[in-house]
Amino acid sequence: MIEILGEMWGSDLLRRALITAAIVGISAPVMGTYLVQRRLTLLGDGIGHMALTGVAAGWLAASAAGATQQDQWAVPGAIIASVVGALLIEYLRARGKASGDVALALLFYGGIAGGVLLIGIAGGTTANLNAYLFGSISTVTTLDMWLSIGLAVIIFIVGIGLRPALFALCHDEEFAKASGMPVRVLSVVISVTAALTVAISMRVVGVLMVSALMVIPVATAQLVSRSFTATMRIAMIIGLVVAEAGLIITYMYDISPGAMIVTLAVGLYALVSIVRPVLVRSRVKDPHPTMDDELRGENCRKA
């Protein structure tokens, strides 16, 4: 294993892939923890489909500007489109013009249609979108890597720095309102930061599976932890392990990295589910604070 890692680290391409996979594996579960707690697990999928339109728009803009590579503006385009999509969802929900499910459906279908339409106008084909649909970490450029690092820093600042307020919002929105918290602003922050998470995860697992890397590690962590903070930490570790392990396996075998990473995440969830009764019995002997306990602790400290 060490020899394989050494070989991969010796290649500039694979070094970028390892770094980007690690960044995505750690950062995706951060916002995924809030989405799971708030029961918005499909938000990542909706934003991901919107990101596809941004990818195609980036292609179109690069072609119009005569760029040397047509896809060099794809990731920036995806970032912009993802943020716009997140803001649109929050606007529709806040104004009551559409329910959360309807808003997500609009992004699902509109995002795919917009991506296919714009990529055709840019002179490409739907085959050009495959790397973004299913992930193609071998195409990660130095710019992509640094963009991922920069966006991950923002995700950590928001997801960890604002954890008490965001947890209160996700756990009980009515309580957050009664406490005087800026609920609408915090909701927008969660959605926009989730959009940034989708944008940096797109190259690794693809927009069709990006939500899986945000949600499945969190679901697995919840099986062994009842604390919100511990759940996030364990999910980050799981995300890192499955992302790096999936990349190493695809280095040895010709398999899609995104599919392998998600398969490992699902397999780990199934394994933990099987052995959970043993873990539950041991936890009864040494109980940990629940999410409700943690929220009450936050309230007591504020009081």
Side-chain angles (χ1 to χ4, degrees):
M1 182 67 70
I2 296 178
E3 293 180 359
I4 294 175
L5 281 174
E7 292 177 7
M8 296 178 69
W9 194 257
S11 167
D12 289 339
L13 173 63
L14 295 177
R15 188 187 307 119
R16 290 196 301 268
L18 285 170
I19 294 173
T20 305
I23 293 169
V24 170
I26 295 174
S27 59
V30 172
M31 296 313 299
T33 306
Y34 296 109
L35 298 184
V36 170
Q37 180 69 9
R38 208 177 182 195
R39 294 177 176 83
L40 288 175
T41 54
L42 292 179
L43 181 65
D45 281 324
I47 295 175
H49 285 70
M50 193 68 182
L52 196 63
T53 296
V55 168
W59 271 67
L60 182 60
S63 299
T68 55
Q69 294 181 338
Q70 281 188 307
D71 66 340
Q72 69 183 44
W73 292 358
V75 173
I79 294 172
I80 295 173
S82 297
V83 172
V84 170
L87 293 175
L88 179 61
I89 288 178
E90 285 302 319
Y91 174 79
L92 293 175
R93 291 179 61 211
R95 297 292 180 178
K97 294 183 178 180
S99 65
D101 290 342
V102 173
L104 286 174
L106 290 172
L107 291 191
F108 266 75
Y109 307 131
I112 288 289
V116 173
L117 179 63
L118 290 179
I119 200 69
I121 296 174
T125 65
T126 53
N128 298 123
L129 296 178
N130 285 341
Y132 302 94
L133 283 169
F134 304 104
S136 179
I137 201 167
S138 61
T139 61
V140 173
T141 64
T142 302
L143 175 61
D144 293 338
M145 183 185 72
W146 284 111
L147 276 174
S148 298
I149 293 174
L151 294 177
V153 170
I154 296 175
I155 292 168
F156 291 140
I157 291 174
V158 173
I160 298 176
L162 298 178
R163 183 167 54 199
L166 296 181
F167 170 74
L169 170 66
C170 296
H171 183 75
D172 190 340
E173 186 170 334
E174 294 302 320
F175 166 79
K177 288 180 180 178
S179 300
M181 294 183 181
V183 170
R184 183 169 298 180
V185 173
L186 292 175
S187 296
V188 171
V189 167
I190 290 177
S191 296
V192 170
T193 311
L196 298 181
T197 306
V198 169
I200 68 172
S201 305
M202 180 178 59
R203 282 290 204 184
V204 178
V205 294
V207 298
L208 293 184
M209 292 181 284
V210 65
S211 188
L213 195 57
M214 297 173 68
V215 172
I216 297 176
V218 178
T220 305
Q222 285 182 331
L223 295 177
V224 297
S225 173
R226 298 171 64 190
S227 163
F228 183 85
T229 302
T231 296
M232 181 181 290
R233 291 173 180 170
I234 295 173
M236 292 169 68
I237 295 173
I238 293 173
L240 173 63
V241 170
V242 298
E244 293 297 290
L247 189 60
I248 293 172
I249 292 173
T250 55
Y251 172 73
M252 297 184 292
Y253 304 99
D254 187 17
I255 305 173
S256 169
M260 189 71 250
I261 290 170
V262 174
T263 300
L264 288 176
V266 173
L268 182 60
Y269 176 84
L271 177 62
V272 174
S273 297
I274 294 173
V275 301
R276 185 188 180 193
V278 177
L279 298 174
V280 170
R281 283 197 295 270
S282 64
R283 190 168 59 204
V284 170
K285 298 178 182 179
D286 183 23
H288 296 288
T290 64
M291 289 187 180
D292 289 333
D293 295 332
E294 187 170 333
L295 181 59
R296 284 194 290 269
E298 290 294 336
N299 295 339
C300 291
R301 283 194 291 273
K302 290 177 181 178

